[in-house]
Amino acid sequence: MRAPLSWLAEHVDLPDGITGRELGEVLIRAGLEVEKVDEVGAEITGPVVVGRVLASVDEPQKNGKTIRWVQVDVGPAHNEPHPDFPQGCRSVVCGAHNFAVGDLVVVSLPGAVLAGGFRIAARKTYGHVSDGMICAEDELGIGHDHTGIIVLPQDAGLEPGDDPSGVLHLRDDVLEIDVSPDIGYCLSIRGLARETGQNLGVAFHDVVDRATPAAKADGYPVRLEDPACPLFVALTVTGIDPSRPTPRWMARRLVMAGMRSISLAVDITNYVMLETGQPLHASDATLLQGPIVVRKAQPGESLVTLDDQTRELDPDDLLITDDSGPIGLAGVMGGASTELRSTSVDLLIEAANFEPTTISRTLRRHNLPSEASKRFHRGVDPDAAYSAAHRAAQLLVDLAGGTLSEAETVVGAVPAAPQQVIDAGLPSKILGVDIPAQRVVEILRASGCQVTVEDQLLRLTPPSWRLDLRDPYDYVEEVGRKVGFDTIPSVLPVAPAGRGLTRDQQARRAIGRAAVAAGFVEVLTFPFMAADDLDRMAVPADDPRRALVRLANPLAETQPYLRTTILPGLFAAAARNASRGNDDLALVELGSVFLRGSGLPAPVPGVSERPAAAELAAIESALPRQPRHLAAVLGGRWRRPGWDGAGEAAGWRQAFALTDVLAGAVGATIERRPASRAPWHPGRCAELVIDQTVVGYAGELHPAVVAAFGLAERAAAVELDLDALLAAAPAGPGSIAHVSAHPVAKDDLALVVPEDVSVAAVQAALAAGAGELLESISLFDVYTGGQVPAGHRSLAFAVRFRAPDRPVTDAETSAARAAAVAAAAELGAVLRDF
């Protein structure tokens, strides 16, 4: 919001001599964000004065132009002697032709500096020495018109040599304020003037001075069919003169406020909107067909808006319609079919109030921000509509020569303001500074609130323009803003004694540290995904990962869903790195996935009170489940080639090793079983099991998935359900096995087993059969060849036996070895005969 100081001064009694910067400091202390103060016109320096044209001669030039050689009376202090004019004058070359002898013009004399740093000096041009310049609007920075020079009104009381700054509204301080959504009433001169008056303790003069009457229907017919429009006011002004120009003071204020002057009727509606905060719309009354109806859009409807764009309408869009169909997108932009023309003489002034959420959704849906929607989606004072409509109508009467019809329409009513009861000591308690109850009452009454004191309680009704005052703490904030946040002491709160991290927090941190220590780089990707991510991963249609949760307002329409797996985001990160030459990757991410809950829409409770238990339960059931997952992706080389070797490719071995490291970080042991699951390669994927609970999957990715995501050849991936892993991990502190001082007995076992029997199953059977003397067992060789029957393979295990209290005898070792082989034989294993 840009607010000229001179405009504010018409609505509040500013102290004499106060500057824009001084006022900006006052508003900053009151909690407003004054981003900057523009000293408009400050760059115009030197002699810029009023001149009267004494003589003018047209002189055609060889280049086809016709210039004027002009003598101008610029006052006794600036005139130079001239034989034809006793009072003296200045002679100037001018290319404009929109003036005549006797006109008052603006003359910049040598030594002046105009907009953009343009310096004026006497110079020879077109065969004359031009002793200055007659100015156009753009040369003074007060407009964009360069079609002619400025001609001042004869009745302005100006004489040659006078300073034209006042008439031109050349100089002013303009405050640029970033208005936060909760104080939308400050998107108006009225709102800022009220804040200024309250904080400076000076009188405020409200331009909204008409009470909204009861419903009236003797004017243009209007019907409201949707509660999103609680109030609609329509006034008819006839017989305006569309050729009348916008007064310079109005056009200048619009420009300083950041808008452009269009035509008198349109400028008046914009001017009143900036002044009161109430957006208005003026329609050509002769183009309306039948009564105005405010309703939601119907399927298949469209509207050509004032920017000449055809917009397909959504059933949730609120419309202004007549018998011809939609004529305006309510609270956002009018329609082209009823817009004002250069010949419009009969106008219908429309002022309405709309529900903010509806307007906010519409403007975002159509990506159509406007000055009107900027105000409506924050909330507009409903009690300002009637006064603003009459203010605009009266300006049309005064400036455009129109006639205001006595018949007017008021449909609906101003919504009742919510009441609240607070303890008078609540502001002191929350703000941490002593504020007497009487001071609290004074502040709230000065803010427009109706305050009834009942012992220590305050019964409060906010003013119509304060839609943000609903909760007790809203009133506390209001008191804090008016007292001044800079007066509230900063006290660092004492941190309560904690109990340390929970078991799950400690475990998650241990897992994260273990992954990084294992050589992986932790990344953080956005938790969003596209539907085709699952297609590229070849996820089946009935897979639970297909139950996606769509965002109502996604950051990007290309990724409108919450992720059900972390892998697509990691794949994208890996591909992005590879495209920039970083091919050797081992990335890991810990984060939440989102699995659809009940599928029912969550209720939207009000903010005026705590939701009921049933509402909270419904919200909870509608929310997606959000288990924590860990995912990793590997590609390229795990170890680069060098003097010490040929290097090593990153793949499924490192993926499986990572799962062992992560499980070990929380004291668990992972068992791997063959599995088939997208996006992994069938036969090269394992499900990860702890105590018969599947906690994740790991392995080499399917070649089609690798190609679809642009990953390195034979890339591998892991995805673990961290919550399931932690639930299956042993609880409580771990234990350290007894370290025996007795010697170890070493042995090797080579077994021929069917190919469909997993190594893990054979190893588990050997460990179970060997008994308590077994200290460790590990696979060290896998062999297939001529000495092994077809469909079989040879697995060689290193076994170690040790007793905690004595040396192990040969007989004990042999018995344990035989028992282990016997247990493995139940899986079809046969001791290999070398």
Side-chain angles (χ1 to χ4, degrees):
M1 176 69 189
R2 289 177 57 85
L5 190 66
S6 62
W7 200 352
L8 286 171
E10 290 187 2
H11 299 271
V12 62
D13 295 340
L14 293 176
D16 292 340
I18 190 171
T19 66
R21 296 191 181 278
E22 291 169 343
L23 180 56
E25 292 295 328
V26 172
L27 295 178
I28 288 172
R29 288 195 296 272
L32 277 74
E33 297 182 32
V34 181
E35 294 190 332
K36 63 178 180 178
V37 178
D38 286 337
E39 296 177 351
V40 176
E43 62 180 339
I44 309 297
T45 60
V48 178
V49 298
V50 175
R52 187 183 301 279
V53 178
L54 300 176
S56 174
V57 178
D58 290 349
E59 296 182 356
Q61 303 296 311
K62 294 179 180 179
N63 60 7
K65 294 182 179 180
T66 299
I67 61 98
R68 282 187 171 183
W69 177 236
V70 185
Q71 282 69 48
V72 188
D73 179 3
V74 290
H78 303 288
N79 282 336
E80 296 288 344
H82 192 282
D84 296 333
F85 305 104
Q87 74 273 37
C89 66
R90 293 287 183 116
S91 297
V92 178
V93 172
C94 183
H97 298 269
N98 64 317
F99 62 94
V101 172
D103 282 347
L104 294 175
V105 295
V106 180
V107 183
S108 57
L109 299 174
V113 179
L114 303 185
F118 183 69
R119 294 182 177 275
I120 301 299
R123 65 190 183 95
K124 187 173 183 179
T125 180
Y126 293 109
H128 300 283
V129 175
S130 182
D131 202 14
M133 184 173 73
I134 303 177
C135 299
E137 284 186 356
D138 61 337
E139 292 158 343
L140 294 177
I142 60 175
H144 304 287
D145 186 13
H146 194 72
T147 59
I149 54 94
I150 299 170
V151 178
L152 299 172
Q154 295 285 350
D155 58 358
L158 296 174
E159 295 294 335
D162 288 350
D163 184 354
S165 298
V167 173
L168 296 176
H169 303 276
L170 181 62
R171 294 181 173 84
D172 208 339
D173 286 353
V174 179
L175 288 78
E176 187 166 321
I177 302 171
D178 184 12
V179 178
S180 57
D182 60 326
I183 53 172
Y185 63 93
C186 285
L187 282 171
S188 66
I189 297 296
R190 176 196 182 207
L192 293 174
R194 180 183 286 107
E195 289 288 319
T196 299
Q198 187 173 359
N199 285 281
L200 288 177
V202 296
F204 162 69
H205 310 290
D206 198 350
V207 68
V208 176
D209 54 2
R210 293 173 181 257
T212 304
K216 305 168 69 173
D218 54 345
Y220 198 90
V222 176
R223 188 168 71 251
L224 305 182
E225 294 185 354
D226 195 279
C229 178
L231 177 67
F232 198 103
V233 177
L235 304 180
T236 302
V237 178
T238 59
I240 72 165
D241 181 356
S243 65
R244 290 195 184 183
T246 300
R248 185 175 299 279
W249 58 268
M250 180 179 286
R252 181 63 174 145
R253 283 182 174 175
L254 289 173
V255 170
M256 287 192 290
M259 302 186 74
R260 62 189 180 92
S261 177
I262 299 173
S263 67
L264 178 56
V266 174
D267 289 351
I268 285 174
T269 60
N270 287 336
Y271 184 86
V272 174
M273 176 189 68
L274 293 172
E275 186 175 57
T276 66
Q278 170 66 52
L280 301 173
H281 183 70
S283 299
D284 188 323
T286 63
L287 299 177
L288 292 170
Q289 302 177 30
I292 288 177
V293 179
V294 183
R295 60 169 174 82
K296 289 289 178 67
Q298 298 172 358
E301 285 190 307
S302 63
L303 170 68
V304 179
T305 46
L306 290 175
D307 56 358
D308 292 326
Q309 298 295 313
T310 300
R311 304 187 183 276
E312 301 301 323
L313 301 176
D314 186 273
D316 196 39
D317 290 335
L318 189 66
L319 303 179
I320 310 298
T321 69
D322 64 4
D323 289 348
S324 67
I327 59 173
L329 203 53
V332 179
M333 186 174 287
S337 63
T338 59
E339 72 173 317
L340 296 182
R341 273 64 168 174
S342 59
T343 57
S344 298
V345 295
D346 296 336
L347 278 58
L348 185 71
I349 304 298
E350 305 160 28
N353 188 259
F354 302 111
E355 194 268 326
T357 303
T358 298
I359 306 305
S360 178
R361 290 172 178 166
T362 297
L363 77 91
R364 292 177 181 174
R365 186 181 303 115
H366 295 282
N367 191 24
L368 190 57
S370 64
E371 290 293 334
S373 64
K374 182 194 300 184
R375 288 161 175 80
F376 277 126
H377 93 269
R378 285 172 166 85
V380 169
D381 179 5
D383 208 19
Y386 185 74
S387 288
H390 272 276
R391 169 79 165 140
Q394 191 59 49
L395 287 172
L396 285 169
V397 171
D398 295 341
L399 302 178
T403 301
L404 173 61
S405 172
E406 293 184 0
E408 60 184 24
T409 299
V410 179
V411 182
V414 176
Q419 292 191 338
Q420 189 60 256
V421 177
I422 70 169
D423 189 292
L426 183 64
S428 296
K429 178 180 178 182
I430 299 300
L431 298 175
V433 62
D434 182 34
I435 305 175
Q438 185 58 37
R439 176 64 176 146
V440 172
V441 172
E442 290 174 359
I443 290 173
L444 294 178
R445 283 178 175 164
S447 296
C449 301
Q450 297 178 19
V451 183
T452 303
V453 181
E454 301 173 359
D455 295 328
Q456 190 61 17
L457 298 178
L458 305 180
R459 187 173 300 277
L460 306 171
T461 303
S464 58
W465 61 86
R466 292 304 300 271
L467 306 181
D468 58 309
L469 296 179
R470 304 183 65 88
D471 185 87
Y473 301 100
D474 294 333
Y475 290 95
V476 172
E477 180 184 2
E478 178 67 10
V479 172
R481 284 204 310 119
K482 296 305 163 52
V483 168
F485 289 130
D486 58 329
T487 66
I488 300 174
S490 298
V491 179
L492 187 66
V494 178
R499 299 181 180 179
L501 300 176
T502 65
R503 170 185 173 271
D504 284 357
Q505 288 172 328
Q506 291 175 333
R508 287 195 296 271
R509 294 190 181 190
I511 286 172
R513 289 193 295 267
V516 172
F520 286 73
V521 176
E522 185 174 1
V523 298
L524 185 65
T525 63
F526 283 117
F528 312 123
M529 67 185 305
D532 72 334
D533 286 340
L534 298 177
D535 296 334
R536 291 189 289 163
M537 288 172 60
V539 174
D542 59 349
D543 193 290
R545 290 173 289 178
R546 288 280 185 179
L548 299 173
V549 178
R550 185 178 178 89
L551 293 166
N553 186 26
L555 287 180
E557 287 297 336
T558 54
Q559 290 186 314
Y561 299 101
L562 290 170
R563 66 188 179 191
T564 55
T565 168
I566 299 178
L567 289 176
L570 278 182
F571 293 163
R576 189 177 303 112
N577 275 272
S579 70
R580 288 157 175 77
N582 189 13
D583 301 311
D584 305 328
L585 294 167
L587 305 180
V588 66
E589 179 174 2
L590 292 82
S592 295
V593 298
F594 305 85
L595 307 176
R596 191 165 61 199
S598 65
L600 298 174
V604 181
V607 298
S608 58
E609 57 186 3
R610 177 181 171 81
E615 286 182 303
L616 292 174
I619 293 172
E620 185 68 28
S621 66
L623 291 176
R625 291 191 303 109
Q626 302 172 48
R628 293 180 176 88
H629 278 205
L630 176 145
V633 63
L634 303 96
R637 294 167 297 188
W638 180 257
R639 181 165 52 83
R640 295 181 178 180
W643 63 268
D644 56 343
E648 181 181 2
W652 61 269
R653 292 178 177 83
Q654 290 77 21
F656 287 155
L658 174 64
T659 64
D660 291 336
V661 168
L662 300 181
V666 292
T669 301
I670 280 199
E671 176 187 353
R672 289 185 285 273
R673 298 174 181 170
S676 178
R677 181 178 175 85
W680 286 276
H681 194 304
R684 298 179 186 176
C685 171
E687 62 181 12
L688 310 173
V689 181
I690 300 177
D691 292 339
Q692 305 305 313
T693 300
V694 177
V695 299
Y697 296 85
E700 184 177 311
L701 293 171
H702 195 286
V705 174
V706 169
F709 284 93
L711 303 177
E713 185 178 350
R714 305 201 68 174
V718 176
E719 186 157 23
L720 290 171
D721 184 333
L722 277 189
D723 291 346
L725 171 61
L726 298 184
S735 60
I736 299 176
H738 175 73
V739 179
S740 175
H742 298 282
V744 64
K746 302 178 181 181
D747 202 353
D748 294 335
L749 291 174
L751 303 174
V752 176
V753 299
E755 285 186 342
D756 59 353
V757 177
S758 69
V759 173
V762 175
Q763 185 168 320
L766 291 172
E772 296 179 353
L773 292 179
L774 181 68
E775 182 178 77
S776 67
I777 179 172
S778 61
L779 177 73
F780 68 87
D781 184 56
V782 179
Y783 173 74
T784 57
Q787 301 180 24
V788 178
H792 291 69
R793 56 181 173 170
S794 172
L795 305 178
F797 294 91
V799 292
R800 303 291 183 266
F801 299 100
R802 194 191 320 246
D805 54 352
R806 68 187 188 285
V808 179
T809 66
D810 291 342
E812 289 175 321
T813 302
S814 297
R817 184 178 188 274
V821 172
E826 297 181 6
L827 300 176
V830 177
L831 190 65
R832 181 179 174 186
D833 185 13
F834 289 94

